[in-house]
């Protein structure tokens, strides 16, 4: 469907080029859980933007399954690291966003990816969150 493909390209491009505050404040970390992690204003704004993108994709084009566009797509590959961050940094989620994160986290390939990340021995100290 052309409209779905156009939106998928658009949200993937936005994911690729945006959300610098979110990435800086919540580095990818599959090993740890940060309950009640505080979100500074700029980060909270970007989290809200991601949630709105997910809602739009699911509401407009997600009827065929549990992924952003029903079936797994490149857009899901782009947003999987964010979904993992949202879980690890205890981001408050409801409805569509919560269900989407669970879809990502429960996917067997992504579970395998997370487990491989947990098995890594190297730690990049400057990327470690210190609370």
């Amino acid at each position: 469907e052309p409209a779905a493909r156009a939106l998928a390209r658009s949200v993937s491009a936005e994911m690729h080029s945006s959300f610098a505050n979110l990435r800086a404040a919540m580095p990818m970390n599959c090993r740890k859980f940060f309950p009640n992690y505080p979100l500074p204003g700029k980060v909270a704004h970007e989290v809200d933007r991601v949630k709105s993108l997910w809602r739009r994709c699911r509401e407009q084009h997600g009827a065929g399954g549990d992924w952003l566009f029903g079936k797994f797509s490149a857009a899901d590959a782009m947003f999987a690291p964010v979904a993992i961050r949202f879980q690890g940094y205890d981001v408050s989620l409801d409805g569509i966003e919560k269900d989407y994160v669970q879809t990502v986290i429960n996917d067997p390939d992504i579970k395998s990816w997370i487990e491989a990340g947990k098995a890594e021995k190297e730690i990049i100290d400057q990327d470690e969150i210190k609370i």
Side-chain angles (χ1 to χ4, degrees), residues 2-3 7 12 15 30 33 35 37 45 56-57 62 65 67 72 74 93 96 98 100 104 107 110 114 116 119 129:
L7 182 58
S12 295
M15 182 61 243
C30 297
F33 178 69
Y37 188 74
H45 176 75
R56 181 176 176 197
C57 294
W67 296 97
F72 183 84
L93 302 169
I96 288 171
K98 186 175 184 176
Y100 179 66
V104 172
D107 179 77
I110 293 176
I114 291 169
I129 296 293

Side-chain angles (χ1 to χ4, degrees), residues 18-28 37 40 43 46 85 89 126-130:
S18 302
F19 310 114
N21 296 304
L22 186 154
R23 294 173 205 244
M26 298 188 297
M28 187 72 173
Y37 188 74
V43 177
E46 290 180 2
R85 283 176 167 101
Y89 288 92
Q126 67 264 26
D127 286 340
E128 287 294 307
I129 296 293
K130 304 196 177 34

Side-chain angles (χ1 to χ4, degrees), residues 1-36:
E1 180 184 337
R5 284 195 311 271
L7 182 58
R9 281 199 240 28
S10 176
V11 300
S12 295
E14 185 170 352
M15 182 61 243
H16 172 72
S17 64
S18 302
F19 310 114
N21 296 304
L22 186 154
R23 294 173 205 244
M26 298 188 297
M28 187 72 173
N29 191 331
C30 297
R31 295 181 184 128
K32 295 183 181 178
F33 178 69
F34 302 96
N36 302 310

